[in-house]
Amino acid sequence: MEQGKHAVQSRWFAGKSREKLRTVSGGGGKRDYSSSALDSQAILLLAVQALLGTANALSGTFLPVYLWKASQSFALIGWFNFTQFIVSGLTFWLAGKWVKEHNKMNSLRLGVALSGVFYFVVLMLGKSAISYVVPLGVLIGIGNGCFWLAFNVVYFEITEPGNRDRFNGWAGLLGSGAGIIAPWISGWLITANSGERGYSIIFTVSSIIFAVAVVLSFWLKKRETSGKYEWFQGLRVLKERGNPWRYAVPSIVSQGVREGVFMFLIGLLVYIATKNEGKLGNFSLITSLVALVSFWLIGRLMKPNRRSMAMLIGAVAITAVVGVLFWPISYRTLLLFGLGTALFMPLYIIPMTSAVFDLIGSDEDSARQREEYVILREAGLTVGRIIGVTSYLIILPYINRSPYIVPSLMLIVGAFPVVGWWLMRSVLRRVNGNHERASSRG
């Protein structure tokens, strides 16, 4: 597979109306590498993602706190996340055939619906939810897998190299916007309604928002399927000498290692340090506001030839900011960490995501197997997240021996993005070369 050898000159078609897509292959016109405009389908997909992000920000921010208050167990929260990571990755692989050969939009809708069902089940179980963390992890894992597999495939189809950084910037901006308001409202509701009733309210509202997202998704056009699903395409790719995915996948694994711990532990530490859900809501409001501005600015300024330097600066900065956690853990130190992460994370995550999806579209064969490559990307994230959460579970028995155990873990896993940048350098050069050659032809 000679990836990056030439610009993709053809298009796929979507929906019964045979509306032409601008991203991948099937029949005759040039890709626009320079345009950064987003069409109506891209905007609609962003709206669905924004609703999902709002619902998750309302309840997902406080779910680890809810489980902690009922169990006082760090291990229980770790096993819940371990389960959902494994099941989500497995769902990606199994649902790949459905998405590639049948109906990707139904997979997206099922994922949103199952996420809503998850919070409804937690609402019904109440504090007894701690007795069902593994089944609950399975449920949300399936939901996440179905949604993000379909989302990433559709995202690839409706964006192109010229507007991919813009889309990712908007996605980050909307996610940050949800993080500004939703957790603050949740924290206020929980503290104003004596905890348990407040949690019931936010879980209910989240379920309703997920239902609205399902309805909105019906305006996303049904997309035509093509080809047969290759179950082990990812393994074959990784065996090919010189294939850029041999560097991209370990880089994605490095991204996942950090996510596997930071996704749930930071919010939990804020609550443990303050014993106040309102403070956690304020933490999310402040850090998300900074992230919103950062995503907006970087999304506008990012160009393919700036990606490598941006990733390096972002990776070093989000690693260095972990150092403040070696001070006595308090709301102030956690807020400093959160602000630093919010400011610099877009420098890493926007070019990382855009470059990987540009790699998927680097030639017609690769673009034709976009589902398999999206699944390969998720496999890397899943492996990384499992490594991260496993390291968390391993250090738990020693957590009371020193106040530096948790900060040391976070520094180690938090440094993996630097490894990810180092592995990704050759991929970034290849993708940037594709852009320059295509622009010179256009």
Side-chain angles (χ1 to χ4, degrees), residues 203-222:
F203 291 154
T204 301
V205 173
S206 289
S207 297
I208 294 171
I209 294 174
F210 281 120
V212 173
V214 171
V215 173
L216 184 62
S217 71
F218 281 95
W219 273 269
L220 285 166
K221 295 175 182 177
K222 184 179 179 182

Side-chain angles (χ1 to χ4, degrees), residues 232-253:
F232 299 103
Q233 170 66 13
L235 290 177
R236 284 195 288 271
V237 165
L238 295 178
K239 290 179 180 179
E240 294 178 9
R241 286 190 176 184
N243 194 301
W245 283 97
R246 297 184 75 169
Y247 295 94
V249 170
S251 180
I252 295 166
V253 170

Side-chain angles (χ1 to χ4, degrees), residues 300-311 351 432:
R300 288 182 64 86
L301 297 178
M302 186 63 63
K303 303 294 182 185
N305 61 356
R306 299 172 181 169
R307 286 175 180 171
S308 184
M309 182 56 66
M311 277 189 68
N432 187 43

Side-chain angles (χ1 to χ4, degrees), residues 45 104-105 108 150-159 223:
L45 187 64
K104 61 179 68 73
M105 301 314 302
L108 185 144
F151 177 91
N152 285 327
V153 171
V154 175
Y155 152 74
F156 173 75
E157 292 179 354
I158 65 176
T159 61
R223 318 192 80 79

Side-chain angles (χ1 to χ4, degrees), residues 56 102 118 168 175 255 313 318 345 407:
N56 280 322
H102 300 286
F118 167 79
N168 289 327
Q255 176 186 340
I313 294 170
I318 61 177
M345 179 58 79

Side-chain angles (χ1 to χ4, degrees), residues 93-402:
W93 184 60
L94 293 175
K97 185 175 179 64
W98 180 26
V99 167
K100 188 176 183 74
E101 298 180 14
H102 300 286
N103 194 322
K104 61 179 68 73
M105 301 314 302
N106 283 344
S107 175
L108 185 144
R109 293 172 190 126
L110 177 63
V112 177
L114 287 178
S115 297
V117 170
F118 167 79
Y119 285 109
F120 179 76
V121 171
V122 172
L123 175 65
M124 294 296 99
L125 290 173
K127 290 184 176 180
S128 64
I130 61 173
S131 300
Y132 302 94
V133 290
V134 172
L136 287 171
V138 170
L139 178 59
I140 192 63
I142 295 173
N144 286 338
C146 287
F147 174 80
W148 287 110
L149 170 58
F151 177 91
N152 285 327
V153 171
V154 175
Y155 152 74
F156 173 75
E157 292 179 354
I158 65 176
T159 61
E160 54 192 312
N163 65 11
R164 207 156 274 151
D165 288 321
R166 175 65 61 87
F167 183 98
N168 289 327
W170 271 104
L173 188 150
L174 291 171
S176 299
I180 290 172
I181 302 299
W184 182 85
I185 292 173
S186 296
W188 176 78
L189 285 171
I190 292 169
T191 53
N193 290 276
S194 303
E196 188 67 28
R197 186 166 179 268
Y199 279 103
S200 297
I201 293 171
I202 65 170
F203 291 154
T204 301
V205 173
S206 289
S207 297
I208 294 171
I209 294 174
F210 281 120
V212 173
V214 171
V215 173
L216 184 62
S217 71
F218 281 95
W219 273 269
L220 285 166
K221 295 175 182 177
K222 184 179 179 182
R223 318 192 80 79
E224 185 176 282
T225 58
S226 62
K228 293 292 184 180
Y229 180 57
E230 300 290 337
W231 288 96
F232 299 103
Q233 170 66 13
L235 290 177
R236 284 195 288 271
V237 165
L238 295 178
K239 290 179 180 179
E240 294 178 9
R241 286 190 176 184
N243 194 301
W245 283 97
R246 297 184 75 169
Y247 295 94
V249 170
S251 180
I252 295 166
V253 170
S254 299
Q255 176 186 340
V257 171
R258 185 186 190 279
E259 289 181 359
V261 176
F262 284 67
M263 282 171 66
F264 68 91
L265 189 55
I266 297 303
L268 183 58
L269 289 176
V270 171
Y271 174 76
I272 292 173
T274 62
K275 299 294 188 294
N276 187 308
E277 286 92 347
K279 285 280 190 180
L280 176 54
N282 290 337
F283 174 89
S284 183
L285 185 152
I286 296 168
T287 56
S288 294
L289 180 60
V290 172
L292 184 147
V293 175
S294 184
F295 269 109
W296 174 79
L297 182 62
I298 294 167
R300 288 182 64 86
L301 297 178
M302 186 63 63
K303 303 294 182 185
N305 61 356
R306 299 172 181 169
R307 286 175 180 171
S308 184
M309 182 56 66
M311 277 189 68
L312 175 59
I313 294 170
V316 171
I318 61 177
T319 300
V321 77
V322 178
V324 303
L325 299 180
F326 284 87
W327 300 345
I329 296 294
S330 67
Y331 183 73
R332 180 175 296 180
T333 56
L334 288 165
L335 185 59
L336 284 173
F337 165 79
L339 289 172
T341 301
L343 183 62
F344 292 105
M345 179 58 79
L347 281 170
Y348 179 80
I349 207 69
I350 290 177
M352 176 70 175
T353 304
S354 297
V356 169
F357 279 90
D358 284 356
L359 187 60
I360 295 174
S362 59
D363 65 28
E364 292 194 28
D365 287 338
S366 179
R368 208 174 287 120
Q369 294 179 305
R370 59 200 181 278
E371 291 86 358
E372 287 87 349
Y373 283 107
V374 165
I375 291 163
L376 179 58
R377 173 181 180 265
E378 184 64 22
L381 287 173
T382 298
V383 170
R385 288 166 181 166
I386 290 171
I387 292 171
V389 77
T390 298
S391 65
Y392 163 84
L393 290 168
I394 289 172
I395 65 99
L396 282 183
Y398 311 100
I399 201 170
N400 293 321
R401 294 188 180 182
S402 168

